Structure formats: C-alpha cells, structure tokens
Amino acid sequence: MSEARARPERFEAFRDMIVPAVREFPSRYPGLVDHEVLLAPPDSLLYVSRWRGEQDLAGYAGENWRDQPVVLPGEDEHLVAPLRVRHFTLASLG
C-alpha cells in the first residue's frame, strides 16, 4: 500500500494522473493479483496492490521494495510530502 498526500488544489489532477497510469498494471505485471485506488478528498489517495508473492512485488518495485515506494514521473509536484509505503500480509480468519 502506498499513501499519497496531495496538495488539495492538485488532488483532482493527481487522481487523473494516477488512475490511468495504474489501470494497465495487471497486464504488465503478471504477479499482480488485484489493485485499487482509494480516494479520500481533499488530499489523500491510497494505492493498494495485492501480489502473488514477494518475488513478484520485488520484480515490479525493485530490490528496495520494503522501504522505497515506486514513484511515477511528475508525481512529486502534486504532493505535500513523499509517498509513504507500507506492506501487510494476510491473516487467516479461519
């Protein structure tokens, strides 16, 4: 999961940049099982991705995937702070 804090006046432009950019990720990265963009106007956007495994995620995000978020070109100009990346594993409810 990566969390972006956008400048409120740039939130819509940021959303309009991110959504099309990630739309084709499943066809480009076969290990990506599912993903979504979650919006909390006026300034927050979450990109949540679910991967088949750590190796697939590292193939997309690089060897520093645990600590360094993937940043798209031009993304920084919309943000008030650097992206925050967090990783979770699934806990069984059974």
Side-chain angles (χ1 to χ4, degrees):
M1 176 194 85
S2 63
E3 180 179 7
R5 296 281 319 265
R7 294 184 171 109
E9 69 276 10
R10 302 199 70 149
F11 180 79
E12 289 182 24
F14 182 61
R15 178 203 60 214
D16 292 348
M17 180 185 93
I18 295 299
V19 170
V22 303
R23 186 175 286 132
E24 302 302 319
F25 276 14
S27 63
R28 292 174 49 200
Y29 304 102
L32 181 60
V33 175
D34 188 26
H35 70 150
E36 57 193 347
V37 174
L38 304 174
L39 305 172
D43 64 354
S44 293
L45 182 146
L46 295 178
Y47 176 68
V48 180
S49 58
R50 293 170 192 84
W51 294 84
R52 186 174 44 215
E54 288 183 9
Q55 185 175 3
D56 295 299
L57 176 55
Y60 159 69
E63 64 183 40
N64 297 317
W65 65 270
R66 290 184 191 276
D67 304 313
Q68 295 179 356
V70 174
V71 179
L72 301 176
E75 192 169 326
D76 290 344
E77 68 188 52
H78 297 282
L79 304 179
V80 296
L83 283 180
R84 181 175 172 205
V85 64
R86 296 179 68 197
H87 301 283
F88 300 87
T89 57
L90 186 62
S92 174
L93 297 176

